[in-house]
Amino acid sequence: MARISLKNVKKSYGKTNVIKGVDIEIEDGEFCVFVGPSGCGKSTLLRMIAGLEDISSGELRIGDRVVNDLPPAQRGVAMVFQSYAIFPHMTVRENVAFGLTIAGASKEEKEAKVAEAARILQMEHLLDRRPSQLSGGQRQRVAIGRAIVRKPQVFLFDEPLSNLDAALRMDMRMEIGRLHQQLGASMIYVTHDQVEAMTLADKIVVLKDGAVMQIGAPMDLYHNPANLFVAGFLGAPSMNFIKVKVEGVQGDKVLVSNAALESVAVSARRGPFKPGDTAILGLRPQYVEIAQGAGRLHGKVALTERLGSETVLDVTLKDASPLIAALSQDVIFEVGMPVDLTFDPDKAHLFQEDATMASASAH
Ligand code: ADP
């Protein structure tokens, strides 16, 4: 187990800056998830920690050592790849023991460690099979087993579930969560899937274009996103963004409205805002409800998706902007019918228009 610290870490390929000065602290035993859209630099960052990519500048520490120039084998890390990287001609037992064989471990040591890993991953019955006789999930378990036997200080996972189908992904996600609880080791996990990030992480690092957008516990990020990008990236369906006009500011409240929105006072904490400004009102679909009285938002039903336990209502607001409401009951709406909606202003977010928005809803 070890603490991992990145200080102003950068990576360039020629003139292209791929990682633009990143500061991240990962505590001993913490499960840290790097999340962001494809191309944001998360795999590069993980590979730099693993020692598979050089660090252009900055400092990387694992435990109490600066490891910038240390080869991968001496960093105390073990990486699990998306592609599993297991050998088809070897049995599961031989694959799991591979790192130990290379390191010259004795037969007894290998047997004991493989048996322990197999017990943890519940794959004792698979040890004599070859990879071709395994399912995708079982192959991924072999790859994890190979990491476990090395007793690394830090586990690194690079999109380990991407090749699995949806149901298996959920099972393996839970298994990795259990593994973390059981081993208590520091883990860094890369994914573009915000659900994996939300469910697995103690700490999430949201990345965009090689820069950190926000770091925090999943629920902190969900309830207090620092910018439009984080707000739009975490949570499903994505947060609704509605362009509004600032009518007035009073203390820590801002009064906003638009053609579809009655004047409403919301928190000004991401300000400053001044009258006349254009701002972005963020509403999570789960917090939008059908109004019993007059309502705060007005529009027309564009589409209804009945999922049984909830109904996803796609509304076109009077100002022409789209809005999704995730209603926690089964309701029937006809397409085109007028609808009045409401929300708790304390659960609304107000953002200044900013440059992070462009790809916020791109996932
Ligand atoms: P992610 O894992 O978030 O999808 P990557 O870390 O794979 O992103 O890539 C980040 C960026 O670095 C991308 O824009 C990619 O094109 C670029 N990149 C990765 N490897 C190289 C390389 N060897 N040479 C040049 N650019 C690279």
Side-chain angles (χ1 to χ4, degrees):
M1 282 193 277
R3 204 163 181 272
I4 301 115
S5 156
L6 288 82
K7 288 213 167 70
N8 200 19
V9 165
K10 295 184 185 172
K11 173 79 185 172
S12 330
Y13 292 106
K15 282 189 182 151
T16 315
N17 299 323
V18 174
I19 302 293
K20 298 168 182 165
V22 159
D23 295 295
I24 302 170
E25 300 287 334
I26 300 165
E27 302 303 327
D28 199 6
E30 202 164 47
F31 198 123
C32 179
V33 177
F34 296 169
V35 69
S38 180
C40 70
K42 47 195 191 302
S43 297
T44 303
L45 206 51
L46 194 74
R47 293 170 62 80
M48 287 159 84
I49 295 169
L52 303 173
E53 296 279 355
D54 290 338
I55 296 171
S56 303
S57 67
E59 185 186 271
L60 169 64
R61 280 177 177 271
I62 297 178
D64 47 17
R65 297 184 301 174
V66 175
V67 300
N68 286 42
D69 299 318
L70 225 52
Q74 291 173 28
R75 293 189 182 196
V77 302
M79 187 143 161
V80 177
F81 296 91
Q82 179 180 349
S83 58
Y84 318 135
I86 53 180
F87 301 109
H89 61 285
M90 290 184 187
T91 62
V92 168
R93 188 189 308 280
E94 288 161 347
N95 264 294
V96 172
F98 182 72
L100 301 173
T101 307
I102 294 291
S106 70
K107 192 163 174 278
E108 291 72 32
E109 184 187 353
K110 283 199 281 188
E111 268 174 20
K113 286 189 170 165
V114 170
E116 190 194 356
R119 183 183 51 76
I120 291 171
L121 295 167
Q122 293 164 11
M123 58 175 191
E124 285 111 326
H125 59 298
L126 303 175
L127 286 174
D128 293 317
R129 291 200 197 169
R130 289 186 195 279
S132 61
Q133 299 166 307
L134 302 176
S135 69
Q138 290 169 335
R139 285 178 206 179
Q140 190 53 279
R141 251 186 276 169
V142 175
I144 296 172
R146 197 165 55 189
I148 290 178
V149 295
R150 295 183 47 210
K151 294 235 178 325
Q153 293 186 300
V154 185
F155 284 82
L156 305 175
F157 293 95
D158 190 3
E159 305 240 12
L161 309 186
S162 294
N163 290 341
L164 305 177
D165 65 42
L168 202 53
R169 257 163 104 142
M170 197 155 106
D171 286 351
M172 281 303 288
R173 193 176 79 210
M174 289 178 159
E175 213 161 298
I176 289 175
R178 267 199 299 275
L179 188 70
H180 177 245
Q181 282 182 350
Q182 211 170 338
L183 301 178
S186 311
M187 295 187 172
I188 308 179
Y189 185 104
V190 159
T191 181
H192 61 273
D193 180 346
Q194 60 94 20
V195 176
E196 283 175 24
M198 292 294 289
T199 51
L200 283 171
D202 297 315
K203 178 182 278 172
I204 296 181
V205 178
V206 183
L207 293 158
K208 175 177 181 279
D209 298 337
V212 171
M213 291 285 104
Q214 193 172 2
I215 299 179
M219 285 305 145
D220 286 348
L221 265 52
Y222 184 82
H223 291 297
N224 296 303
N227 50 51
L228 285 165
F229 182 78
V230 175
F233 195 80
L234 298 180
S238 290
M239 189 185 277
N240 295 293
F241 294 132
I242 304 166
K243 215 172 230 195
V244 292
K245 236 339 151 250
V246 174
E247 290 179 353
V249 182
Q250 234 177 19
D252 61 353
K253 295 280 184 201
V254 191
L255 202 63
V256 297
S257 69
N258 81 2
L261 173 73
E262 309 288 341
S263 292
V264 60
V266 295
S267 161
R269 81 195 125 97
R270 292 185 196 81
F273 299 98
K274 57 180 193 317
D277 280 357
T278 300
I280 307 292
L281 184 71
L283 294 175
R284 293 222 178 263
Q286 290 78 5
Y287 298 145
V288 177
E289 296 166 15
I290 301 295
Q292 300 305 325
R296 297 181 187 280
L297 275 166
H298 310 287
K300 275 186 185 165
V301 174
L303 190 73
T304 315
E305 289 183 308
R306 294 170 66 196
L307 304 176
S309 61
E310 68 168 12
T311 307
V312 179
L313 197 62
D314 190 342
V315 176
T316 305
L317 294 176
K318 269 191 175 164
D319 68 339
S321 55
L323 178 115
I324 303 280
L327 308 171
S328 59
Q329 71 269 45
D330 182 27
V331 264
I332 301 173
F333 290 93
E334 268 175 52
V335 170
M337 82 184 253
V339 62
D340 296 322
L341 302 154
T342 192
F343 57 88
D344 177 351
D346 290 339
K347 294 204 164 118
H349 303 264
L350 193 66
F351 300 91
Q352 294 176 305
E353 281 190 298
D354 73 32
T356 69
M357 187 168 179
S359 52
S361 54
H363 73 291

